[in-house]
C-alpha cells in the first residue's frame, strides 16, 4: 500500500502560479449524525492570503459558520497558525500520518437558512471554538500521481463550544492535504465524498471533473483489510434543489453504490479576482448503500458559474 511521505504532512514551497494552493481539510460527524463540522485551511501565497472556513451543523440546529478569505499569511513558512480579527486557529502535526489536532477561538455567524451564505451571511454573531484531535483509522491513502494529495480516514475526539453550549465529540471523520496545483473553483466542477458505513467500511471518492467522463479517484477500506481498494472510475448522479443545494446525490465505484441524503448544509460563496462566483455547498449526509448498509459522510459539490 502506497503511503504519504511523513514530511508531506507539513507545508510546501509554492511556485509562481497565481492560484497555487495548499489546503488542509478536517471533517467530522457524530455516529448518530446529530452534529458535525469541518475546517478548511487554505494557503494562497501568491494571492497573499489564507482562506479559513469552519462550521458546526446538525439536522435540528442552525448553521454556525466562519468564512474568512483575507486572513494574513503566517510569518513563518512552516506555521499552521492563523490570526484575524475575531479569529485564532492553530493546527498541529502531532504524529505524521497518525494524529493531527485542530483548534479554534472565534466569533461565528449563526444562520437559520444556510443559503444566506450566498446573500451576505448576515446573522447572529456567536462565540465559537473547538479543540479536536484526528487519529488515523485504518491507514493513509495516497492519491495517484495526477496531483499531490492524500486522504486519511479518522477517529475524532474533542470538544466544541458555541455560545454557552459545550458539545463532547466522539465520532468519525476524514482529513486531507493537497498542494501544488492551481485550485480554480470557477472553471471545473467536482463531487467529493468521505464517510463510514455501520459495518466499519470507510470510503472516499472524487469525480465529476469532466462532462461525459467517469474518471475519478476512490478508495474503499473494509474492516480488517491490510490495504485500500483503489478505483479510477466514479459514477455520479446529483439532483439539485433550491438555491442549487443538492436534494440528493449518488456515487458508484467498485462494489459500492451509495446514496446521500443531505441533512445539514454549510456552503461557501467563492468570488474570483475578476468577479465570477462559484457556489460550494458542503453537507453532512446520511448514506444508504444499495445492499442496505447505512452510515454518515461529508459531501461537497463545486458549482462553477454557468455561461
Amino acid at each position: 500500500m502506497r503511503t504519504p511521505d511523513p514530511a508531506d504532512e507539513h507545508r510546501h514551497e509554492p511556485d509562481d502560479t497565481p492560484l497555487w494552493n495548499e489546503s488542509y481539510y478536517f471533517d467530522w460527524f457524530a455516529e448518530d449524525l446529530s452534529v458535525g463540522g469541518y475546517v478548511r485551511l487554505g494557503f494562497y501565497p501568491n494571492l497573499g492570503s489564507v482562506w479559513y472556513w469552519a462550521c458546526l451543523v446538525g439536522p435540528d440546529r442552525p448553521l454556525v459558520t466562519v468564512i474568512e478569505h483575507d486572513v494574513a499569511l503566517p510569518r513563518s513558512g512552516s506555521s499552521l497558525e492563523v490570526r484575524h480579527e475575531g479569529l485564532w486557529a492553530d493546527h498541529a502535526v502531532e504524529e505524521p500520518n497518525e494524529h493531527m489536532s485542530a483548534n479554534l477561538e472565534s466569533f461565528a455567524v449563526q444562520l437559520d437558512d444556510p443559503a444566506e451564505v450566498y446573500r451576505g451571511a448576515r446573522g447572529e454573531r456567536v462565540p465559537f471554538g473547538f479543540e479536536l484531535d484526528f487519529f488515523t483509522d485504518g491507514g493513509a491513502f495516497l492519491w495517484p500521481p495526477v496531483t499531490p494529495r492524500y486522504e486519511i480516514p479518522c477517529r475524532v475526539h474533542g470538544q466544541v463550544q458555541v455560545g454557552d453550549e459545550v458539545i463532547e465529540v466522539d465520532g468519525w471523520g476524514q482529513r486531507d492535504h493537497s498542494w501544488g496545483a492551481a485550485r480554480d473553483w470557477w472553471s471545473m466542477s467536482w463531487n467529493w465524498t468521505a464517510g463510514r458505513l455501520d459495518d466499519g467500511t470507510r470510503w472516499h471518492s472524487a469525480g465529476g471533473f469532466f462532462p461525459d467522463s467517469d474518471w475519478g479517484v476512490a478508495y474503499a477500506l473494509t474492516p480488517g483489510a491490510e490495504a485500500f481498494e483503489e478505483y479510477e472510475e466514479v459514477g455520479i448522479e446529483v439532483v439539485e434543489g433550491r438555491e442549487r443545494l443538492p436534494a440528493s446525490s449518488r456515487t458508484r465505484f467498485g462494489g459500492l453504490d451509495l446514496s446521500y441524503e443531505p441533512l445539514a448544509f454549510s456552503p461557501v460563496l467563492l468570488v474570483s479576482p475578476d468577479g465570477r462566483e462559484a457556489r460550494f455547498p458542503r453537507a453532512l449526509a446520511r448514506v444508504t448503500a444499495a445492499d442496505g448498509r447505512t452510515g454518515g459522510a461529508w459531501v461537497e459539490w463545486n458549482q462553477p458559474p454557468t455561461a
Side-chain angles (χ1 to χ4, degrees), residues 46-118:
N46 297 324
L47 299 180
S49 64
V50 175
W51 290 6
Y52 181 85
W53 312 334
C55 72
L56 178 72
V57 302
D60 301 312
R61 61 170 59 239
L63 166 65
V64 174
T65 185
V66 177
I67 302 171
E68 296 288 353
H69 288 161
D70 56 356
V71 177
L73 290 163
R75 291 183 179 180
S76 165
S78 62
S79 177
L80 297 176
E81 180 185 17
V82 294
R83 296 176 181 269
H84 192 62
E85 182 180 353
L87 184 156
W88 168 86
D90 197 11
H91 316 79
V93 180
E94 309 288 355
E95 183 180 353
N97 290 348
E98 295 295 336
H99 177 199
M100 277 195 75
S101 61
N103 302 276
L104 173 69
E105 296 176 7
S106 74
F107 286 97
V109 174
Q110 184 170 282
L111 301 170
D112 291 327
D113 180 1
E116 283 299 318
V117 166
Y118 299 144

Side-chain angles (χ1 to χ4, degrees), residues 75-288:
R75 291 183 179 180
S76 165
S78 62
S79 177
L80 297 176
E81 180 185 17
V82 294
R83 296 176 181 269
H84 192 62
E85 182 180 353
L87 184 156
W88 168 86
D90 197 11
H91 316 79
V93 180
E94 309 288 355
E95 183 180 353
N97 290 348
E98 295 295 336
H99 177 199
M100 277 195 75
S101 61
N103 302 276
L104 173 69
E105 296 176 7
S106 74
F107 286 97
V109 174
Q110 184 170 282
L111 301 170
D112 291 327
D113 180 1
E116 283 299 318
V117 166
Y118 299 144
R119 296 186 288 272
R122 290 178 291 273
E124 181 184 355
R125 194 168 187 248
V126 294
F128 177 46
F130 49 72
E131 296 178 353
L132 296 172
D133 288 283
F134 290 74
F135 297 94
T136 297
D137 178 44
F141 173 75
L142 184 64
W143 260 45
V146 291
T147 188
R149 181 189 185 109
Y150 56 87
E151 300 266 350
I152 303 180
C154 293
R155 191 73 198 257
V156 186
H157 303 285
Q159 190 176 83
V160 177
Q161 184 166 1
V162 54
D164 295 329
E165 181 185 12
V166 176
I167 301 168
E168 299 295 332
V169 176
D170 180 10
W172 307 98
Q174 182 94 352
R175 67 179 179 94
D176 73 39
H177 182 198
S178 63
W179 65 95
R183 185 67 59 88
D184 190 339
W185 309 81
W186 306 279
S187 67
M188 179 182 291
S189 62
W190 67 77
N191 171 229
W192 175 98
T193 76
R196 180 183 183 273
L197 295 174
D198 52 14
D199 68 346
T201 296
R202 307 300 300 254
W203 82 89
H204 150 69
S205 70
F209 301 106
F210 310 107
D212 304 318
S213 172
D214 284 346
W215 181 85
V217 175
Y219 75 66
L221 182 63
T222 55
E226 296 183 358
F228 294 90
E229 298 174 35
E230 303 184 33
Y231 305 98
E232 295 185 358
E233 290 188 2
V234 181
I236 295 171
E237 299 173 16
V238 181
V239 177
E240 292 185 358
R242 69 177 189 91
E243 300 280 3
R244 299 192 67 192
L245 297 174
S248 65
S249 189
R250 180 185 179 194
T251 58
R252 289 169 285 111
F253 53 91
L256 286 176
D257 185 341
L258 304 171
S259 296
Y260 304 84
E261 175 195 356
L263 300 176
F265 283 96
S266 180
V268 180
L269 180 67
L270 302 163
V271 182
S272 72
D274 61 11
R276 291 172 296 150
E277 293 184 352
R279 292 189 172 191
F280 187 61
R282 282 186 122 239
L284 172 66
R286 177 179 290 113
V287 183
T288 303

